[in-house]
Amino acid sequence: IQNLFIWNRLFLLVFCNSTESLIYFSLAVLQALEDGLKRADADPSVKAVTICGENGKFSAGADIRGFSSPNKQGLGLGPIVSLIERSEKPVVAAIEGIALGGGLEVTLGCHYRIAHVQARMGLPEVTIGLLPGAEGTQRLPRLIGVPAALDIITTGRHISASEALKLGLVDEVVEENTVEAAIRLANRLIGQPLGHRRLSLKPVPKLPNMEAFLTEALVKVKKRAQGCLAPELCFQAIKAATEQPFADGVRKERELFNILLTSGQAKALQYAFFAERAVEKWTTPSGASWKTASPQPIRKAAVIGLGTMGRGIVTSLVKAKIPVVALEQDLEYLNTGRKAVMLLLEREAMKMEQGGQTLDFNNPARLQFAVDFDVLRDVDLVIEAVFENMALKKEIFNKLSRICKPEAFLCTNTSALNIDEIASVTSRPQQVIGTHFFSPAHVMRLLEIIYGRHTSPTTIATAMQLAKVMKKVGVVVGNCFGFVGNRMMFPYVQQAVFLLEEGSRPEDVDQVLEDFGFKIGPFRMSDLAGLDVGWRSRKDQGLTGPTLAPGTSARQRHGYRYSPLPDLLCEKGRFGQKTGKGWYQYEKAGGRTAKPDPWIHSFLSEYRDTHQIKTRFIDQEEILERCLFTLINEGFDILAEGIASGPEHLDVVYINGYGWPKHRGGPMFYASTVGLPNILAKLQKYSEIHPDVPQLRPSAFLKKLVAMGNPPLNDWMSYLHRQSNKL
Ligand SMILES: CCC/C=C/C(=O)SCCNC(=O)CCNC(=O)[C@H](O)C(C)(C)COP(=O)([O-])OP(=O)([O-])OC[C@H]1O[C@@H](n2cnc3c(N)ncnc32)[C@H](O)[C@@H]1OP(=O)([O-])[O-]
């Protein structure tokens, strides 16, 4: 706080931090807030106080980095909020921009709250593994009731000013100058009693069925949390507010806060928060970077192919308010695609309406459907989302290169194909880039952005900007088979299948990985995605099917171990959910409830007999280590090859595209918590047992980092080119 004004008879406290556009509390800000309040209290000429932010932003809460600093900045906020509340002079909060976390808690200490119509509020502490520890879990339920407080605190979602008004979180919403409105209100309040406005003195509003409500709410909170501790502890703190006097509730809140603060989960989630922001600052090995490259505006885009991916991509673009042309090969496909897109958009519009927003998609200037490539002449960017087939993609890119205006960017939605080969058929390889969306594309946040040998920095910057506008997390990666996500996924799924050969059942493997925190295990995931997708790719690679050389051993390819199990399932028509049978059985084709299948169990035991594999009991530790450590091992190779510029990139990909539990920080962060020497030792052990599985052989970069003394994750990349005399 640098500016303290005495204005009329009011004291105006302004949060400000000259170096940051966002204001978050540092120790200095907290100290200044306390000093300012005490000064206002002691000065008889001051009759009321208004608290606001500088430059139209109230506060983003405590400095998140402070939670891992030794003096734990931000923890002294609770007593200051109490100090505000105890003031004998009316205190009014003027909320503009954002009031999040500790910022919102400050306003809960104020006697009145006025918000600008565009302000957003929330208590997002749960998303960084904490709870609102400045008495917020005790004041919010007293102000807006338990159900609404539970929702806001356990989800961490941001709410709009209009919702805040409806909930009674703010007293007034204004369209004009919020600070002036707050000052006017403060003036009117001078001399009026404040007791009823002090939230700590109010009882928590009663519910007729509080106990039953809380029991049911806990089940929901736990289910959503999937192993993350913070939501449940947020719940416990709110429950304490319903059962205990304010001071005891605050003590409970502090106790729970400390448990979270020292838990590894908070550290992982805070790492994930900064990792997501770090990947925005992309660089490539050739020196291109976000600092020097400028994105080009995208005023109109096109999507080619209205299959599952194309439909989601069109929906994302419409939601991002980018006019879009959707193209299909013929009228029949176009009509099917159009219907599906309209259905998705209607559902999205409904969801947005609940949040007070609208979605305009019935306007041909915003969304157009066509079968003729000629309509692409004026678009700034095309996203091709046809079938994963190189010949087809090349044909389309060649056509696009001839039809689209010279400045247009050409993106391909592929999960594995070579970007350079696709770019080679165009006259503008510098404007060709991979944009790997994840299904369903209008829901999943990840966008892998793959640059090829000739892709220009401007093209990368434009794709990154597009991701941001679509509210996705863009991660820039290099061009290799499977890029980052699928390349790391391959050894993980491969180990899962090998484990079946050796004695596990699909449900055993899935259970271990789901207990770890994955939303779904590898077999449920394969059933959902469709086993035929991988089968087709293996046939294309000559690993199975008619092109396989006669006499090839069933369980070996190119001298390495291979499992034909997924191929055998596909040959029996078991493609997963879509056929009602895969690694599990489903109630019907297209069904979603996976049930362990006795057929699979006997199929596996016959398979083991045929190949003379001795069934053994495989414990949870081995399942977890073999699946996760091979995935991590591949990650080290990816880093060493310069495919991604840092471990954060791999972690952001996994958290946002592959269901990796965020409270474990991503695979590379997890590796750093397990300890690289441990991972290396386990890989060496498994590799000795399975010498025919190259994915288990420890990566040279992992070995180097261990030899260099297991440095912290932030330093890994600086060791890439250093010499190690221990190797
Ligand atoms: C007892 C204690 C009680 C209190 C607890 C709390 O308050 S817990 C806290 C509860 N609060 C939260 O959890 C809020 C967390 N913040 C957010 O959700 C978003 O940043 C936003 C919505 C405020 C703005 O989104 P946007 O897309 O406009 O911008 P952006 O996201 O790109 O950020 C810009 C820059 O600011 C940085 N930075 C931002 N906030 C913080 C922070 N609190 N700390 C540190 N840094 C922060 C961010 O890293 C980035 O830095 P870079 O990369 O430029 O070096």
Side-chain angles (χ1 to χ4, degrees), residues 12-50:
L12 192 66
L13 300 183
V14 184
F15 292 122
C16 90
N17 187 333
S18 49
T19 54
E20 304 289 342
S21 58
L22 280 169
I23 297 104
Y24 36 87
F25 304 129
S26 59
L27 274 184
V29 172
L30 289 187
Q31 190 58 55
L33 185 54
E34 186 176 350
D35 293 348
L37 284 163
K38 286 183 175 160
R39 244 178 82 194
D41 222 25
D43 185 341
S45 69
V46 173
K47 302 291 181 208
V49 177
T50 290

Side-chain angles (χ1 to χ4, degrees), residues 206-366:
K206 292 228 172 333
L207 286 178
N209 51 354
M210 184 69 89
E211 209 170 305
F213 171 81
L214 287 174
T215 311
E216 207 176 298
L218 179 60
V219 175
K220 279 193 204 143
V221 166
K222 273 186 157 173
K223 190 164 175 227
R224 237 188 0 237
Q226 289 185 308
C228 183
L229 205 57
E232 193 179 335
L233 268 57
C234 284
F235 170 90
Q236 299 297 356
I238 297 165
K239 185 163 178 267
T242 67
E243 293 167 345
Q244 298 173 22
F246 186 82
D248 294 340
V250 167
R251 259 190 295 280
K252 182 74 183 172
E253 177 192 276
R254 207 162 299 153
E255 190 187 301
L256 295 168
F257 184 87
N258 283 329
I259 296 174
L260 289 174
L261 189 64
T262 48
S263 76
Q265 292 196 358
K267 212 172 155 200
L269 285 161
Q270 288 161 28
Y271 160 83
F273 174 86
F274 289 112
E276 206 171 282
R277 280 143 188 94
V279 300
E280 282 181 27
K281 299 179 176 142
W282 59 271
T283 54
T284 69
S286 65
S289 121
W290 66 281
K291 280 192 199 149
T292 45
S294 316
Q296 293 302 303
I298 303 302
R299 296 188 191 90
K300 188 170 180 187
V303 175
I304 302 188
L306 289 177
T308 314
M309 295 309 291
R311 295 167 191 178
I313 299 169
V314 171
T315 306
S316 293
L317 288 164
V318 173
K319 280 181 75 182
K321 298 196 169 58
I322 298 177
V324 49
V325 184
L327 203 85
E328 253 299 354
Q329 54 179 316
D330 61 33
L331 279 174
E332 196 186 330
Y333 276 99
L334 188 76
N335 283 334
T336 314
R338 185 206 311 254
K339 272 190 208 133
V341 167
M342 294 316 250
L343 202 65
L344 284 181
L345 283 167
E346 272 157 29
R347 280 196 209 135
E348 289 303 299
M350 248 151 58
K351 276 191 229 155
M352 286 170 70
E353 255 166 45
Q354 284 162 9
Q357 293 165 288
T358 52
L359 183 65
D360 175 16
F361 58 93
N362 281 314
N363 175 350
R366 291 202 175 228

Side-chain angles (χ1 to χ4, degrees), residues 20-25 57 59-67 73-78 98 100-103 105 120 122-125 127-128 130-135 158 253 257 273-274 277-278 280-281 468:
E20 304 289 342
S21 58
L22 280 169
I23 297 104
Y24 36 87
F25 304 129
K57 287 185 175 127
S59 170
D63 181 351
I64 297 170
R65 284 186 210 277
F67 293 122
Q73 293 177 6
L75 301 192
L77 186 61
I98 44 165
L100 297 175
E105 289 178 292
R120 281 184 301 145
L123 292 171
E125 286 88 339
T127 63
I128 50 165
L130 298 173
L131 54 76
E135 306 177 359
H158 295 184
E253 177 192 276
F257 184 87
F273 174 86
F274 289 112
R277 280 143 188 94
E280 282 181 27
K281 299 179 176 142
K468 201 172 178 146

Side-chain angles (χ1 to χ4, degrees), residues 34 37-38 40-42 47 49 51 76-92 105-113 135 139 192-201 246-247 250 254:
E34 186 176 350
L37 284 163
K38 286 183 175 160
D41 222 25
K47 302 291 181 208
V49 177
I51 302 182
L77 186 61
I80 297 175
V81 178
S82 282
L83 190 71
I84 298 172
E85 195 190 78
R86 280 202 306 275
S87 170
E88 289 302 329
K89 303 174 183 180
V91 185
V92 181
E105 289 178 292
V106 163
T107 74
L108 294 175
C110 298
H111 306 118
Y112 289 83
R113 286 156 291 278
E135 306 177 359
R139 280 197 179 84
Q192 290 191 19
L194 293 172
H196 66 294
R197 303 295 304 184
R198 293 192 173 99
L199 295 178
S200 69
L201 304 181
F246 186 82
V250 167
R254 207 162 299 153

